[in-house]
Amino acid sequence: MENFLLTFPMVAKLATNDYVGFTFFVGCMAMMAASAFFFLSMNSFDKKWRTSILVSGLITFIAAVHYWYMRDYWADFGESPTFFRYVDWILTVPLMCVEFFLILKVAGAKRSLMWRLILLSVIMLVTGYLGEAVYRDAAWLWGLISGIAYFIIVYEIWLGTAKKLAVKAGGPVLQAHKMLCWFVLVGWAIYPLGYMAGTPGWYEGIFGGLSMDVVYNIGDAINKIGFGLVVYNLAVVATSEKA
Ligand SMILES: *C/C=C(C)/C=C/C=C(C)/C=C/C1=C(C)CCCC1(C)C
């Protein structure tokens, strides 16, 4: 029995300088804790906000499950879990687009806005995956196409239809929308840096000292939990203003 456990340990050792392994581990815990927080707080709010909080919880929960697998994958193979990473993103990033729609519904947001943002985010992620995993020699080109889709999302929420709806809604919704816009502009900009650190191209060396996975893991923690907390805060403020 003892020999068996030594040959097939239940848990992998984590080296003290394994920052990728460490951030997968802590990221997993943080996503689990955030999910519990969002799910358990959900029913203390006005019905209008419950779906938004539910979606916040789903985003961190889906990430928690993927982090569980990615942590394992990294421990076993010492390689970037690119496939799991992009499956996680392709589920959670469209849900973040849904959040914009949900909070702007009070101002009459249409479903077409939601689908437009979802479509752009899918284009951004699929082209990113092609560059990172399939056509690595042309990573810069796929990254550029991905970046254009990202730019259009930024334009849409900062200056386009979404912005106009947020202004129409005013008050706490406008404030929350602004915060989410900052997350997309600054928080999401972390990802292209990770991409450039982890793919070959003319930019090699500029970000070469960074670890792609550490950058992605920090980005995920900031964006998924931060996004959820903005929506949570909106529900708190809007519910107390009504009371
Ligand atoms: C929770 C996960 C989130 C918010 C992931 C967001 C990912 C991005 C904004 C990725 C963007 C990329 C580019 C803009 C260009 C290079 C390729 C990507 C996919 C890393």
Side-chain angles (χ1 to χ4, degrees), residues 31 59 63 86 88-89 92-93 96 124-129 132 139 142-148 150-151 184 187-189 191-196 216 219-220 223-224:
M31 297 293 181
I59 291 169
Y86 276 86
D88 173 6
W89 287 354
T92 52
V93 177
M96 295 170 107
M124 173 181 84
L125 295 172
V126 169
T127 51
Y129 181 79
E132 201 174 308
W142 292 103
L144 181 69
I145 301 171
S146 173
I148 292 170
Y150 168 55
F151 181 80
V184 173
W188 288 21
Y191 297 95
L193 299 182
Y195 181 88
M196 290 203 263
Y216 285 168
D220 279 357
N223 288 300
K224 291 185 166 60

Side-chain angles (χ1 to χ4, degrees), residues 40-90:
L40 291 172
S41 70
M42 215 175 98
N43 284 321
S44 56
F45 297 112
D46 206 68
K47 244 196 170 139
K48 203 165 71 187
W49 301 110
R50 284 187 204 159
T51 316
S52 307
I53 308 279
L54 174 66
V55 173
S56 293
L58 286 176
I59 291 169
T60 51
F61 182 71
I62 292 169
V65 175
H66 284 86
Y67 266 72
W68 179 265
Y69 282 101
M70 292 197 283
R71 183 195 51 78
D72 240 12
Y73 187 98
W74 174 261
D76 283 350
F77 303 112
E79 265 175 31
S80 289
T82 309
F83 175 76
F84 291 111
R85 173 83 71 192
Y86 276 86
V87 175
D88 173 6
W89 287 354
I90 209 117

